[in-house]
Structures are given as C-alpha cells and as structure tokens.
C-alpha cells in the first residue's frame, strides 16, 4: 500500500531524530560553557551558508513543475533573505563588519552542509529535496530556539542580536511541504533513496555544529 506524504515525512523524521549528545555545541551554549567567540564563528559561517542556500532554494523553485513544491522553495529562499538581514545584527554584536565576514576563512566541516544542499538542488527531484529538508527542520529549529534563549540568559545579547536564531527557532506549518510530497508520490517522482538524502542532510548539519564545538 502506498504511504501518504504525512506518513513518509513522519517516518523519515523519526528515523533521523538526533540522539542526545550528537550535537556537541548546542548543550555547551545552553549551559553557558561555550566561549562568547563561538557566536562570531556562527555568524561568519552562517553568512556563507545563507547566501549559498538562498541560491540553492531558488534553483529548486525554478526546477519544480508542481506548484506546492515551487512555492515551498520560493518561500524558503525568501526566508534566507530575511535571515541574512538578521545575521548582520549578530555579526555586528560580535564586531564583524561586511569586510570581516567576507574575509573569514570558512571551515570545511561547516561548509559541507550548504555544499550538500546545492548538490540536492542539482541532482534530486524537488519532492525528494522537500523530504530531506523537512525531516531536519524540527531538530534545526529546536537547536536555534535553545541558542536564542541561552544568548539572552547566559550571554546577555539583546533581542536584535538574537533575531537570526529567533527566526529559525519558530516552527513553521508544513502543509505546503506535505502537499508537495504528496504530489511527488502521486506522480512517481519521490524516489526510494529519500531517507538516505535525509540522513546525509542531518549528518552534514551535525558536522557544522561539531566542527565549531571542536574548535571552541
């Protein structure tokens, strides 16, 4: 029996749910044990990630023939534009101007994530990409919400500086993603490899956090 889009998304989310301890950086921030300098690293690495993901999401939107998938990725691209503005506030709080952000030497372990998003944009169906990304959104959002709270209570950042993590820490409705995946199922565009795409997506995101943790 063919599974529904909701069943597919719920199954992949459950399969890929991170275990306690997989992310070594967020607990350090939550406890106030990470040095303040990690926020400069996060701002500089995210500056490159956001600009890359923005283009990747637009590429996926342009490839999507199905309306829900197209609007889903266009919405993600719009969100990256908003995020870039909020990231500037975090960078400013860490005394990083545009020149400093551009001069930053990126860490390979951090930039593997956007490289994989770009690979997805070029190599898999938009429906597969929706599943891979949405399966990770809950974990990513939880990490961001935890960081935003700790920035205020442990590191005394103001609301403006916390805006980037506030944005991604706010859960989004997934109705459009479900509709896009259902269309992929109905058309036969959803592949048997979709769980593997999600696994790699989650692995590269954890690599991002842990690369910074290892250098903190």
């Amino acid at each position: 029996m063919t599974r529904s889009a909701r069943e597919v998304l719920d199954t992949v989310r459950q399969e890929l749910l991170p275990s306690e301890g997989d992310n070594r950086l967020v607990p350090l921030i939550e406890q106030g044990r990470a040095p303040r300098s990690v926020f400069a690293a996060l701002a500089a690495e995210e500056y490159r990630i956001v600009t890359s993901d923005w283009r990747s999401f637009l590429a996926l939107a342009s490839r999507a023939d199905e309306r829900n998938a197209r609007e889903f990725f266009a919405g993600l691209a719009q969100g990256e534009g908003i995020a870039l503005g909020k990231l500037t506030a975090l960078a400013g709080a860490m005394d990083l101007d545009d020149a400093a952000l551009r001069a930053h030497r990126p860490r390979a372990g951090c930039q593997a994530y956007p490289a994989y998003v770009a690979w997805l944009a070029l190599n898999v169906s938009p429906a597969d990409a929706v599943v891979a990304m949405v399966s990770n959104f809950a974990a990513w959002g939880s990490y961001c919400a935890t960081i935003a709270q700790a920035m205020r209570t442990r590191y005394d950042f103001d609301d403006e500086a916390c805006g980037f993590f506030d944005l991604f820490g706010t859960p989004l409705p997934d109705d459009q993603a479900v509709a896009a995946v259902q269309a992929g199922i109905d058309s036969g565009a959803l592949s048997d490899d979709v769980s593997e795409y999600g696994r790699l997506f989650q692995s590269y995101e954890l690599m991002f956090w842990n690369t910074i943790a290892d250098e903190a």
Side-chain angles (χ1 to χ4, degrees), residues 22-26 29 38-50 87 104 107-114 140 143-144 147 164-165 200-215:
D22 283 353
N23 186 321
R24 297 194 295 276
L25 181 63
V26 171
I29 294 174
V38 301
F39 297 103
L42 286 168
E45 296 293 344
E46 284 289 356
Y47 177 79
R48 290 177 179 266
I49 291 172
V50 168
L87 192 58
H104 171 73
R107 300 162 174 83
C110 292
Q111 298 304 314
Y113 168 85
W140 161 249
Y143 296 150
C144 288
I147 290 173
F164 177 83
F165 292 105
L200 286 169
F201 197 92
Q202 175 73 13
S203 296
Y204 285 127
E205 195 212 322
L206 287 170
M207 187 185 296
F208 163 80
W209 298 110
N210 291 335
T211 295
I212 294 178
D214 291 344
E215 298 183 15

Side-chain angles (χ1 to χ4, degrees), residues 74-86:
L76 290 185
Q78 184 179 32
E80 295 300 307
I82 295 170
L84 194 60
K86 294 183 179 296

